[in-house]
Amino acid sequence: MGPSTSLEIPMNFFIRATPCFLLSGAMLCAQSSSAPQQPIRVILLDGQSGGPYHAWRLTTPVLKKELEETGLFQVTVISAPTFPGGDFSNFNPDFGQYQVIVSNYDAPDWPADLRAKFDDYVQGGGGLVIVHAADNAFPDWPAYNRMIGVGGWRGRTEKAGPRWFWSEGKVASDDTPGPAGRHGARLPFQVVTRAPEHPIMKGLPTVWMHAADELYGTLRGPGAHMTILATAHSDLKNQGTGRDEPMLMALDYGKGRIFHTTLGHDIAALSCVGFITVFQRGTEWAATGTVTQVVPTIFPTPNAVVFRVDIAEMDPSYLGGASDPVIQPAASPQPAPQH
């Protein structure tokens, strides 16, 4: 089994950074080694969450900024109606005009014709990126569960599939009955690379510290054609499972490619340079099958979180400023909702 972390990390640090500034003589920004002639066309889908837990109106602008700042992507935000009760009569996005859909959307279901259209798009070769709570969505839609590999909450049980995790150097599963989806308080945690040669992960450190976030566990699903790219240890002392849970996944569905990240609960988590890097690279891979972006030279280490202050400042509750120290101790655990 690979490295894991517990709540007794002796000394974590948050390092404040701003994009494209020289810090200790090293450039932060990830850049493309061979920028395409035309931008990758992206739909960023939002419009609903499963409750007050995921502030998509705040996180969508962050995700859009993080993609567009690379110069690789042209992002169109499309907000779907709420389900049930929303008017879908005029919601008819032309998915085929885009190379990848980034989902920041969590709804219980969709009209059958829209589900079929979405399914056809991905099966036919369209890319899909699932961010955090988007894997809570559509629990009773078999095709969607196949696309995302694993999901949680919204009543998912063993009927959705086994729990998937990493054990003794390989992917493992557990079909014991029970609900899908759990996490503890939001804390920093180590992310461990499990597929270092995959284009999304190539060149990343074996272990790096992610900013305080929800560490999803007990996710269930078909797990078909799924490569676990990275895991994190779900600590029993923080209401965890005691297992190394999947954090980043790559999947095939028909001709389509899917990148699934369980990271990214809020703007604080989205400001982590580790999250930003894998999100940008995962979106490029889902759209094209390749990754041209280089890994930033300022990147989290096994014991230090690196976060982008310009992203953190997009959160109205952020209290930082120029007077903040460059390095500060890790924050205390934050109370968290259940999903």
Side-chain angles (χ1 to χ4, degrees):
M1 296 178 68
S4 61
T5 185
S6 72
L7 298 187
E8 283 84 14
I9 299 169
M11 194 64 174
N12 296 324
F13 294 105
F14 290 112
I15 300 176
R16 299 171 67 247
T18 53
C20 300
F21 278 70
L22 289 174
L23 295 175
S24 303
M27 185 65 77
L28 173 65
C29 283
Q31 298 176 349
S32 170
S33 59
S34 56
Q37 293 184 350
Q38 297 294 328
I40 296 168
R41 300 179 305 280
V42 181
I43 282 182
L44 178 45
L45 176 66
D46 68 10
Q48 186 171 351
S49 69
Y53 318 112
H54 298 108
W56 56 267
R57 290 181 178 87
L58 295 178
T59 56
T60 285
V62 174
L63 296 172
K64 184 176 188 289
K65 172 184 173 67
E66 290 176 350
L67 292 179
E68 291 186 332
E69 70 184 17
T70 66
L72 296 176
F73 305 98
Q74 178 181 310
V75 181
T76 300
V77 176
I78 296 181
S79 298
T82 57
F83 190 99
D87 181 5
F88 282 82
S89 61
N90 294 316
F91 184 72
N92 189 32
D94 187 355
F95 295 130
Q97 296 300 309
Y98 300 86
Q99 292 161 269
V100 59
I101 298 169
V102 174
S103 181
N104 189 31
Y105 181 69
D106 172 16
D109 204 355
W110 258 359
D113 58 340
L114 187 57
R115 292 200 309 266
K117 186 176 179 180
F118 190 95
D119 189 356
D120 289 345
Y121 167 81
V122 181
Q123 280 213 61
L128 176 63
V129 175
I130 299 296
V131 179
H132 192 64
D135 73 14
N136 299 179
F138 307 127
D140 300 318
W141 180 4
Y144 185 80
N145 287 324
R146 166 66 179 75
M147 292 178 210
I148 66 174
V150 291
W153 291 278
R154 286 199 178 275
R156 283 182 173 86
T157 66
E158 63 276 7
K159 294 179 180 178
R163 300 184 179 106
W164 295 91
F165 54 98
W166 191 269
S167 178
E168 298 182 348
K170 62 184 179 181
V171 178
S173 62
D174 175 7
D175 58 6
T176 303
R182 63 187 289 185
H183 67 77
R186 295 194 293 277
L187 293 170
F189 54 82
Q190 287 181 330
V191 176
V192 181
T193 297
R194 301 299 186 180
E197 295 305 311
H198 191 280
I200 297 173
M201 307 303 293
K202 196 171 182 66
L204 267 66
T206 302
V207 183
W208 51 275
M209 187 67 71
H210 177 50
D213 203 349
E214 293 178 341
L215 197 166
Y216 276 8
T218 66
L219 299 182
R220 291 183 175 274
H225 303 282
M226 178 175 72
T227 299
I228 294 180
L229 303 177
T231 63
H233 187 71
S234 179
D235 200 301
L236 291 170
K237 296 177 182 178
N238 189 28
Q239 305 175 52
T241 64
R243 290 171 167 170
D244 292 334
E245 299 286 354
M247 297 291 106
L248 308 174
M249 291 146 278
L251 302 101
D252 295 324
Y253 181 72
K255 297 179 181 178
R257 289 176 296 271
I258 298 97
F259 170 62
H260 179 173
T261 173
T262 67
L263 309 177
H265 172 76
D266 56 11
I267 292 178
L270 299 183
S271 73
C272 175
V273 171
F275 172 87
I276 295 168
T277 302
V278 295
F279 173 56
Q280 292 167 336
R281 291 164 66 92
T283 303
E284 184 182 5
W285 175 82
T288 69
T290 61
V291 175
T292 64
Q293 298 167 81
V294 299
V295 178
T297 52
I298 298 295
F299 194 87
T301 72
N303 297 304
V305 172
V306 181
F307 75 95
R308 286 263 301 273
V309 71
D310 66 307
I311 298 294
E313 287 175 339
M314 295 176 72
D315 186 342
S317 65
Y318 179 69
L319 300 177
S323 61
D324 280 0
V326 172
I327 299 175
Q328 52 187 209
S332 300
Q334 303 174 43
Q338 292 304 303
H339 64 287

mmCIF file with all atom_site columns, all heavy atoms in Angstrom, residues 275-294:
data_model
loop_
_atom_site.group_PDB
_atom_site.id
_atom_site.type_symbol
_atom_site.label_atom_id
_atom_site.label_alt_id
_atom_site.label_comp_id
_atom_site.label_asym_id
_atom_site.label_entity_id
_atom_site.label_seq_id
_atom_site.pdbx_PDB_ins_code
_atom_site.Cartn_x
_atom_site.Cartn_y
_atom_site.Cartn_z
_atom_site.occupancy
_atom_site.B_iso_or_equiv
_atom_site.pdbx_formal_charge
_atom_site.auth_seq_id
_atom_site.auth_comp_id
_atom_site.auth_asym_id
_atom_site.auth_atom_id
_atom_site.pdbx_PDB_model_num
ATOM 1   N N   . PHE A 1 275 ? -5.343  20.773 -7.036  1.00 0.00 ? 275 PHE A N   1
ATOM 2   C CA  . PHE A 1 275 ? -6.644  20.615 -7.691  1.00 0.00 ? 275 PHE A CA  1
ATOM 3   C C   . PHE A 1 275 ? -6.627  21.272 -9.057  1.00 0.00 ? 275 PHE A C   1
ATOM 4   O O   . PHE A 1 275 ? -7.081  20.685 -10.049 1.00 0.00 ? 275 PHE A O   1
ATOM 5   C CB  . PHE A 1 275 ? -7.775  21.221 -6.852  1.00 0.00 ? 275 PHE A CB  1
ATOM 6   C CG  . PHE A 1 275 ? -9.079  21.242 -7.609  1.00 0.00 ? 275 PHE A CG  1
ATOM 7   C CD1 . PHE A 1 275 ? -9.916  20.143 -7.590  1.00 0.00 ? 275 PHE A CD1 1
ATOM 8   C CD2 . PHE A 1 275 ? -9.435  22.336 -8.390  1.00 0.00 ? 275 PHE A CD2 1
ATOM 9   C CE1 . PHE A 1 275 ? -11.097 20.139 -8.332  1.00 0.00 ? 275 PHE A CE1 1
ATOM 10  C CE2 . PHE A 1 275 ? -10.606 22.339 -9.135  1.00 0.00 ? 275 PHE A CE2 1
ATOM 11  C CZ  . PHE A 1 275 ? -11.432 21.231 -9.107  1.00 0.00 ? 275 PHE A CZ  1
ATOM 12  N N   . ILE A 1 276 ? -6.178  22.518 -9.122  1.00 0.00 ? 276 ILE A N   1
ATOM 13  C CA  . ILE A 1 276 ? -6.203  23.264 -10.381 1.00 0.00 ? 276 ILE A CA  1
ATOM 14  C C   . ILE A 1 276 ? -5.451  22.503 -11.469 1.00 0.00 ? 276 ILE A C   1
ATOM 15  O O   . ILE A 1 276 ? -5.928  22.372 -12.601 1.00 0.00 ? 276 ILE A O   1
ATOM 16  C CB  . ILE A 1 276 ? -5.601  24.667 -10.181 1.00 0.00 ? 276 ILE A CB  1
ATOM 17  C CG1 . ILE A 1 276 ? -6.462  25.488 -9.228  1.00 0.00 ? 276 ILE A CG1 1
ATOM 18  C CG2 . ILE A 1 276 ? -5.461  25.392 -11.525 1.00 0.00 ? 276 ILE A CG2 1
ATOM 19  C CD1 . ILE A 1 276 ? -5.797  26.770 -8.746  1.00 0.00 ? 276 ILE A CD1 1
ATOM 20  N N   . THR A 1 277 ? -4.289  21.990 -11.133 1.00 0.00 ? 277 THR A N   1
ATOM 21  C CA  . THR A 1 277 ? -3.461  21.299 -12.117 1.00 0.00 ? 277 THR A CA  1
ATOM 22  C C   . THR A 1 277 ? -4.147  20.067 -12.678 1.00 0.00 ? 277 THR A C   1
ATOM 23  O O   . THR A 1 277 ? -4.206  19.874 -13.901 1.00 0.00 ? 277 THR A O   1
ATOM 24  C CB  . THR A 1 277 ? -2.106  20.928 -11.490 1.00 0.00 ? 277 THR A CB  1
ATOM 25  O OG1 . THR A 1 277 ? -1.456  22.108 -11.032 1.00 0.00 ? 277 THR A OG1 1
ATOM 26  C CG2 . THR A 1 277 ? -1.215  20.213 -12.491 1.00 0.00 ? 277 THR A CG2 1
ATOM 27  N N   . VAL A 1 278 ? -4.680  19.207 -11.799 1.00 0.00 ? 278 VAL A N   1
ATOM 28  C CA  . VAL A 1 278 ? -5.297  17.980 -12.307 1.00 0.00 ? 278 VAL A CA  1
ATOM 29  C C   . VAL A 1 278 ? -6.623  18.283 -13.009 1.00 0.00 ? 278 VAL A C   1
ATOM 30  O O   . VAL A 1 278 ? -7.004  17.582 -13.958 1.00 0.00 ? 278 VAL A O   1
ATOM 31  C CB  . VAL A 1 278 ? -5.480  16.926 -11.201 1.00 0.00 ? 278 VAL A CB  1
ATOM 32  C CG1 . VAL A 1 278 ? -4.125  16.460 -10.687 1.00 0.00 ? 278 VAL A CG1 1
ATOM 33  C CG2 . VAL A 1 278 ? -6.356  17.421 -10.064 1.00 0.00 ? 278 VAL A CG2 1
ATOM 34  N N   . PHE A 1 279 ? -7.321  19.327 -12.582 1.00 0.00 ? 279 PHE A N   1
ATOM 35  C CA  . PHE A 1 279 ? -8.559  19.711 -13.250 1.00 0.00 ? 279 PHE A CA  1
ATOM 36  C C   . PHE A 1 279 ? -8.272  20.196 -14.675 1.00 0.00 ? 279 PHE A C   1
ATOM 37  O O   . PHE A 1 279 ? -8.943  19.784 -15.628 1.00 0.00 ? 279 PHE A O   1
ATOM 38  C CB  . PHE A 1 279 ? -9.266  20.796 -12.445 1.00 0.00 ? 279 PHE A CB  1
ATOM 39  C CG  . PHE A 1 279 ? -10.471 21.400 -13.104 1.00 0.00 ? 279 PHE A CG  1
ATOM 40  C CD1 . PHE A 1 279 ? -11.523 20.604 -13.528 1.00 0.00 ? 279 PHE A CD1 1
ATOM 41  C CD2 . PHE A 1 279 ? -10.567 22.772 -13.301 1.00 0.00 ? 279 PHE A CD2 1
ATOM 42  C CE1 . PHE A 1 279 ? -12.644 21.161 -14.138 1.00 0.00 ? 279 PHE A CE1 1
ATOM 43  C CE2 . PHE A 1 279 ? -11.669 23.339 -13.909 1.00 0.00 ? 279 PHE A CE2 1
ATOM 44  C CZ  . PHE A 1 279 ? -12.715 22.526 -14.335 1.00 0.00 ? 279 PHE A CZ  1
ATOM 45  N N   . GLN A 1 280 ? -7.291  21.050 -14.820 1.00 0.00 ? 280 GLN A N   1
ATOM 46  C CA  . GLN A 1 280 ? -6.935  21.540 -16.152 1.00 0.00 ? 280 GLN A CA  1
ATOM 47  C C   . GLN A 1 280 ? -6.451  20.404 -17.043 1.00 0.00 ? 280 GLN A C   1
ATOM 48  O O   . GLN A 1 280 ? -6.867  20.284 -18.215 1.00 0.00 ? 280 GLN A O   1
ATOM 49  C CB  . GLN A 1 280 ? -5.851  22.617 -16.042 1.00 0.00 ? 280 GLN A CB  1
ATOM 50  C CG  . GLN A 1 280 ? -6.318  23.904 -15.379 1.00 0.00 ? 280 GLN A CG  1
ATOM 51  C CD  . GLN A 1 280 ? -5.166  24.817 -14.994 1.00 0.00 ? 280 GLN A CD  1
ATOM 52  O OE1 . GLN A 1 280 ? -4.032  24.377 -14.796 1.00 0.00 ? 280 GLN A OE1 1
ATOM 53  N NE2 . GLN A 1 280 ? -5.451  26.109 -14.872 1.00 0.00 ? 280 GLN A NE2 1
ATOM 54  N N   . ARG A 1 281 ? -5.586  19.559 -16.526 1.00 0.00 ? 281 ARG A N   1
ATOM 55  C CA  . ARG A 1 281 ? -5.043  18.454 -17.311 1.00 0.00 ? 281 ARG A CA  1
ATOM 56  C C   . ARG A 1 281 ? -6.114  17.400 -17.606 1.00 0.00 ? 281 ARG A C   1
ATOM 57  O O   . ARG A 1 281 ? -6.173  16.838 -18.717 1.00 0.00 ? 281 ARG A O   1
ATOM 58  C CB  . ARG A 1 281 ? -3.862  17.824 -16.571 1.00 0.00 ? 281 ARG A CB  1
ATOM 59  C CG  . ARG A 1 281 ? -2.635  18.736 -16.512 1.00 0.00 ? 281 ARG A CG  1
ATOM 60  C CD  . ARG A 1 281 ? -1.627  18.272 -15.472 1.00 0.00 ? 281 ARG A CD  1
ATOM 61  N NE  . ARG A 1 281 ? -1.022  16.995 -15.802 1.00 0.00 ? 281 ARG A NE  1
ATOM 62  C CZ  . ARG A 1 281 ? 0.114   16.846 -16.480 1.00 0.00 ? 281 ARG A CZ  1
ATOM 63  N NH1 . ARG A 1 281 ? 0.769   17.908 -16.908 1.00 0.00 ? 281 ARG A NH1 1
ATOM 64  N NH2 . ARG A 1 281 ? 0.613   15.643 -16.712 1.00 0.00 ? 281 ARG A NH2 1
ATOM 65  N N   . GLY A 1 282 ? -6.982  17.134 -16.616 1.00 0.00 ? 282 GLY A N   1
ATOM 66  C CA  . GLY A 1 282 ? -8.039  16.148 -16.826 1.00 0.00 ? 282 GLY A CA  1
ATOM 67  C C   . GLY A 1 282 ? -9.046  16.591 -17.864 1.00 0.00 ? 282 GLY A C   1
ATOM 68  O O   . GLY A 1 282 ? -9.562  15.772 -18.638 1.00 0.00 ? 282 GLY A O   1
ATOM 69  N N   . THR A 1 283 ? -9.340  17.888 -17.901 1.00 0.00 ? 283 THR A N   1
ATOM 70  C CA  . THR A 1 283 ? -10.282 18.396 -18.899 1.00 0.00 ? 283 THR A CA  1
ATOM 71  C C   . THR A 1 283 ? -9.683  18.311 -20.296 1.00 0.00 ? 283 THR A C   1
ATOM 72  O O   . THR A 1 283 ? -10.369 17.940 -21.260 1.00 0.00 ? 283 THR A O   1
ATOM 73  C CB  . THR A 1 283 ? -10.679 19.841 -18.566 1.00 0.00 ? 283 THR A CB  1
ATOM 74  O OG1 . THR A 1 283 ? -11.232 19.880 -17.242 1.00 0.00 ? 283 THR A OG1 1
ATOM 75  C CG2 . THR A 1 283 ? -11.710 20.366 -19.552 1.00 0.00 ? 283 THR A CG2 1
ATOM 76  N N   . GLU A 1 284 ? -8.409  18.634 -20.421 1.00 0.00 ? 284 GLU A N   1
ATOM 77  C CA  . GLU A 1 284 ? -7.759  18.504 -21.730 1.00 0.00 ? 284 GLU A CA  1
ATOM 78  C C   . GLU A 1 284 ? -7.755  17.052 -22.195 1.00 0.00 ? 284 GLU A C   1
ATOM 79  O O   . GLU A 1 284 ? -8.037  16.751 -23.362 1.00 0.00 ? 284 GLU A O   1
ATOM 80  C CB  . GLU A 1 284 ? -6.331  19.044 -21.664 1.00 0.00 ? 284 GLU A CB  1
ATOM 81  C CG  . GLU A 1 284 ? -5.635  19.026 -23.017 1.00 0.00 ? 284 GLU A CG  1
ATOM 82  C CD  . GLU A 1 284 ? -4.204  19.514 -22.984 1.00 0.00 ? 284 GLU A CD  1
ATOM 83  O OE1 . GLU A 1 284 ? -3.671  19.788 -21.883 1.00 0.00 ? 284 GLU A OE1 1
ATOM 84  O OE2 . GLU A 1 284 ? -3.599  19.615 -24.078 1.00 0.00 ? 284 GLU A OE2 1
ATOM 85  N N   . TRP A 1 285 ? -7.446  16.133 -21.286 1.00 0.00 ? 285 TRP A N   1
ATOM 86  C CA  . TRP A 1 285 ? -7.422  14.711 -21.648 1.00 0.00 ? 285 TRP A CA  1
ATOM 87  C C   . TRP A 1 285 ? -8.804  14.214 -22.056 1.00 0.00 ? 285 TRP A C   1
ATOM 88  O O   . TRP A 1 285 ? -8.945  13.491 -23.052 1.00 0.00 ? 285 TRP A O   1
ATOM 89  C CB  . TRP A 1 285 ? -6.888  13.882 -20.481 1.00 0.00 ? 285 TRP A CB  1
ATOM 90  C CG  . TRP A 1 285 ? -6.946  12.411 -20.759 1.00 0.00 ? 285 TRP A CG  1
ATOM 91  C CD1 . TRP A 1 285 ? -6.051  11.671 -21.481 1.00 0.00 ? 285 TRP A CD1 1
ATOM 92  C CD2 . TRP A 1 285 ? -7.982  11.509 -20.349 1.00 0.00 ? 285 TRP A CD2 1
ATOM 93  N NE1 . TRP A 1 285 ? -6.464  10.358 -21.546 1.00 0.00 ? 285 TRP A NE1 1
ATOM 94  C CE2 . TRP A 1 285 ? -7.645  10.236 -20.856 1.00 0.00 ? 285 TRP A CE2 1
ATOM 95  C CE3 . TRP A 1 285 ? -9.153  11.652 -19.597 1.00 0.00 ? 285 TRP A CE3 1
ATOM 96  C CZ2 . TRP A 1 285 ? -8.438  9.112  -20.638 1.00 0.00 ? 285 TRP A CZ2 1
ATOM 97  C CZ3 . TRP A 1 285 ? -9.944  10.540 -19.378 1.00 0.00 ? 285 TRP A CZ3 1
ATOM 98  C CH2 . TRP A 1 285 ? -9.585  9.283  -19.890 1.00 0.00 ? 285 TRP A CH2 1
ATOM 99  N N   . ALA A 1 286 ? -9.834  14.582 -21.294 1.00 0.00 ? 286 ALA A N   1
ATOM 100 C CA  . ALA A 1 286 ? -11.189 14.139 -21.637 1.00 0.00 ? 286 ALA A CA  1
ATOM 101 C C   . ALA A 1 286 ? -11.593 14.634 -23.014 1.00 0.00 ? 286 ALA A C   1
ATOM 102 O O   . ALA A 1 286 ? -12.292 13.939 -23.757 1.00 0.00 ? 286 ALA A O   1
ATOM 103 C CB  . ALA A 1 286 ? -12.184 14.618 -20.579 1.00 0.00 ? 286 ALA A CB  1
ATOM 104 N N   . ALA A 1 287 ? -11.149 15.831 -23.380 1.00 0.00 ? 287 ALA A N   1
ATOM 105 C CA  . ALA A 1 287 ? -11.521 16.421 -24.671 1.00 0.00 ? 287 ALA A CA  1
ATOM 106 C C   . ALA A 1 287 ? -10.712 15.867 -25.833 1.00 0.00 ? 287 ALA A C   1
ATOM 107 O O   . ALA A 1 287 ? -11.237 15.704 -26.940 1.00 0.00 ? 287 ALA A O   1
ATOM 108 C CB  . ALA A 1 287 ? -11.362 17.942 -24.613 1.00 0.00 ? 287 ALA A CB  1
ATOM 109 N N   . THR A 1 288 ? -9.427  15.589 -25.596 1.00 0.00 ? 288 THR A N   1
ATOM 110 C CA  . THR A 1 288 ? -8.526  15.287 -26.714 1.00 0.00 ? 288 THR A CA  1
ATOM 111 C C   . THR A 1 288 ? -7.802  13.953 -26.618 1.00 0.00 ? 288 THR A C   1
ATOM 112 O O   . THR A 1 288 ? -7.251  13.483 -27.615 1.00 0.00 ? 288 THR A O   1
ATOM 113 C CB  . THR A 1 288 ? -7.453  16.382 -26.835 1.00 0.00 ? 288 THR A CB  1
ATOM 114 O OG1 . THR A 1 288 ? -6.551  16.300 -25.712 1.00 0.00 ? 288 THR A OG1 1
ATOM 115 C CG2 . THR A 1 288 ? -8.082  17.772 -26.889 1.00 0.00 ? 288 THR A CG2 1
ATOM 116 N N   . GLY A 1 289 ? -7.730  13.367 -25.438 1.00 0.00 ? 289 GLY A N   1
ATOM 117 C CA  . GLY A 1 289 ? -6.969  12.145 -25.255 1.00 0.00 ? 289 GLY A CA  1
ATOM 118 C C   . GLY A 1 289 ? -5.502  12.367 -24.968 1.00 0.00 ? 289 GLY A C   1
ATOM 119 O O   . GLY A 1 289 ? -4.747  11.404 -24.761 1.00 0.00 ? 289 GLY A O   1
ATOM 120 N N   . THR A 1 290 ? -5.067  13.634 -24.971 1.00 0.00 ? 290 THR A N   1
ATOM 121 C CA  . THR A 1 290 ? -3.677  13.960 -24.688 1.00 0.00 ? 290 THR A CA  1
ATOM 122 C C   . THR A 1 290 ? -3.624  15.075 -23.657 1.00 0.00 ? 290 THR A C   1
ATOM 123 O O   . THR A 1 290 ? -4.632  15.736 -23.379 1.00 0.00 ? 290 THR A O   1
ATOM 124 C CB  . THR A 1 290 ? -2.927  14.412 -25.949 1.00 0.00 ? 290 THR A CB  1
ATOM 125 O OG1 . THR A 1 290 ? -3.550  15.595 -26.467 1.00 0.00 ? 290 THR A OG1 1
ATOM 126 C CG2 . THR A 1 290 ? -2.950  13.329 -27.016 1.00 0.00 ? 290 THR A CG2 1
ATOM 127 N N   . VAL A 1 291 ? -2.434  15.306 -23.110 1.00 0.00 ? 291 VAL A N   1
ATOM 128 C CA  . VAL A 1 291 ? -2.200  16.414 -22.185 1.00 0.00 ? 291 VAL A CA  1
ATOM 129 C C   . VAL A 1 291 ? -0.941  17.144 -22.641 1.00 0.00 ? 291 VAL A C   1
ATOM 130 O O   . VAL A 1 291 ? 0.139   16.540 -22.700 1.00 0.00 ? 291 VAL A O   1
ATOM 131 C CB  . VAL A 1 291 ? -2.033  15.926 -20.732 1.00 0.00 ? 291 VAL A CB  1
ATOM 132 C CG1 . VAL A 1 291 ? -1.670  17.097 -19.812 1.00 0.00 ? 291 VAL A CG1 1
ATOM 133 C CG2 . VAL A 1 291 ? -3.324  15.264 -20.244 1.00 0.00 ? 291 VAL A CG2 1
ATOM 134 N N   . THR A 1 292 ? -1.085  18.414 -22.962 1.00 0.00 ? 292 THR A N   1
ATOM 135 C CA  . THR A 1 292 ? 0.062   19.222 -23.397 1.00 0.00 ? 292 THR A CA  1
ATOM 136 C C   . THR A 1 292 ? 0.571   20.137 -22.299 1.00 0.00 ? 292 THR A C   1
ATOM 137 O O   . THR A 1 292 ? 1.611   20.760 -22.455 1.00 0.00 ? 292 THR A O   1
ATOM 138 C CB  . THR A 1 292 ? -0.322  20.079 -24.611 1.00 0.00 ? 292 THR A CB  1
ATOM 139 O OG1 . THR A 1 292 ? -1.348  21.016 -24.232 1.00 0.00 ? 292 THR A OG1 1
ATOM 140 C CG2 . THR A 1 292 ? -0.825  19.222 -25.761 1.00 0.00 ? 292 THR A CG2 1
ATOM 141 N N   . GLN A 1 293 ? -0.153  20.246 -21.193 1.00 0.00 ? 293 GLN A N   1
ATOM 142 C CA  . GLN A 1 293 ? 0.211   21.184 -20.134 1.00 0.00 ? 293 GLN A CA  1
ATOM 143 C C   . GLN A 1 293 ? 1.324   20.621 -19.257 1.00 0.00 ? 293 GLN A C   1
ATOM 144 O O   . GLN A 1 293 ? 1.283   19.451 -18.875 1.00 0.00 ? 293 GLN A O   1
ATOM 145 C CB  . GLN A 1 293 ? -1.011  21.485 -19.264 1.00 0.00 ? 293 GLN A CB  1
ATOM 146 C CG  . GLN A 1 293 ? -2.150  22.140 -20.031 1.00 0.00 ? 293 GLN A CG  1
ATOM 147 C CD  . GLN A 1 293 ? -3.437  22.142 -19.232 1.00 0.00 ? 293 GLN A CD  1
ATOM 148 O OE1 . GLN A 1 293 ? -3.634  22.987 -18.376 1.00 0.00 ? 293 GLN A OE1 1
ATOM 149 N NE2 . GLN A 1 293 ? -4.317  21.189 -19.498 1.00 0.00 ? 293 GLN A NE2 1
ATOM 150 N N   . VAL A 1 294 ? 2.286   21.481 -18.940 1.00 0.00 ? 294 VAL A N   1
ATOM 151 C CA  . VAL A 1 294 ? 3.361   21.065 -18.041 1.00 0.00 ? 294 VAL A CA  1
ATOM 152 C C   . VAL A 1 294 ? 2.916   21.270 -16.602 1.00 0.00 ? 294 VAL A C   1
ATOM 153 O O   . VAL A 1 294 ? 2.034   22.082 -16.314 1.00 0.00 ? 294 VAL A O   1
ATOM 154 C CB  . VAL A 1 294 ? 4.652   21.854 -18.324 1.00 0.00 ? 294 VAL A CB  1
ATOM 155 C CG1 . VAL A 1 294 ? 5.134   21.611 -19.740 1.00 0.00 ? 294 VAL A CG1 1
ATOM 156 C CG2 . VAL A 1 294 ? 4.455   23.344 -18.082 1.00 0.00 ? 294 VAL A CG2 1
#
